[in-house]
Amino acid sequence: MIHPPRNLIDAVIPPVSESWRRIDAWLGVHAPASFAGLNPPATPDAIARTESVFGMPLPRDLCESLLCHDGETRFGTALPCSQLLSAEEIVAARRMRMELWEPEDPDQAETPWWGEHWVPFAGDVSLSFIEAGPGIWHDHLGRAPHDDGAGFLGWPTLGTWLHHVAEAMERFDQHFAHRVEPPKLRRNGTLDWW
């Protein structure tokens, strides 16, 4: 079978659940401690409660990801994004940011610290988020440090990013252009992404 040449971005991005299947399989073999740190799937009720608190639907890719793993244990190393948040932690992290956010602050126009429709999916004090509002940045991933301006990361969807994480894992020992840096394996069965 002849495969087309691979570019930096694949034309067709598989469903989030397929990328998670690949990630889980790779972690189970190469980084079992990181794999063990992933939580079981969220329940549809937990996702519905989160959406009810937010007053808006969660991004579709985030819902699908939560149905694979409801976050991970503290100091997780499964993915290159800090700790994945559970549905409950997403609510707490967003609530904290919304309480501290000052949308009328003139600095928000040039260097925003938080956004009205941003939904966190990973982090601790600094957060990785998905833009859930309308407009050209809809579904894009971003990073919001706790003490600096936030910005978008260049990933159009969580599904695109997870696909490239799976690619980096499966090809971590091959020399080709990765959009996600390949992980480094530690002796204790965890990953080092930095």
Side-chain angles (χ1 to χ4, degrees):
M1 176 189 237
I2 298 175
H3 295 282
R6 298 184 62 86
N7 292 325
L8 291 180
I9 297 180
D10 295 305
V12 177
I13 300 300
V16 166
S17 58
E18 173 60 18
S19 294
W20 265 118
R21 185 196 61 72
R22 293 171 62 198
I23 290 167
D24 287 349
W26 190 90
L27 288 171
V29 171
H30 298 282
S34 290
F35 180 60
L38 290 168
N39 292 334
T43 65
D45 284 348
I47 293 171
R49 281 192 303 274
T50 301
E51 292 178 327
S52 176
V53 169
F54 287 2
M56 65 180 185
L58 291 177
R60 187 180 66 212
D61 283 358
L62 180 56
C63 288
E64 192 174 347
S65 183
L66 288 167
L67 290 171
C68 295
H69 292 289
D70 190 19
E72 64 186 322
T73 57
R74 192 163 172 80
F75 308 119
T77 61
L79 302 181
C81 62
S82 299
Q83 175 190 351
L84 286 175
L85 302 176
S86 67
E88 187 175 303
E89 291 165 335
I90 288 170
V91 170
R94 186 169 189 274
R95 181 177 288 138
M96 183 272 301
R97 281 289 178 130
M98 293 299 283
E99 288 172 357
L100 296 173
W101 181 47
E102 298 175 352
E104 305 307 320
D105 183 339
D107 291 339
Q108 280 287 314
E110 287 187 38
T111 55
W113 181 76
W114 192 247
E116 181 179 4
H117 296 104
W118 293 358
V119 178
F121 70 91
D124 38 44
V125 180
S126 297
L127 298 170
S128 296
F129 66 85
I130 303 170
E131 169 61 76
I136 61 169
W137 295 106
H138 179 74
D139 275 345
H140 279 251
L141 304 189
R143 180 91 174 134
H146 77 285
D147 59 354
D148 202 358
F152 289 99
L153 301 174
W155 294 104
T157 65
L158 181 63
T160 303
W161 180 71
L162 287 170
H163 169 68
H164 284 277
V165 170
E167 288 287 300
M169 287 176 162
E170 292 177 349
R171 300 164 190 274
F172 76 102
D173 57 349
Q174 298 175 24
H175 299 287
F176 84 108
H178 294 276
R179 292 224 38 228
V180 172
E181 284 295 316
K184 296 168 188 68
L185 300 173
R186 292 179 173 164
R187 289 187 181 147
N188 66 357
T190 63
L191 298 178
D192 182 1
W193 288 96
W194 297 275

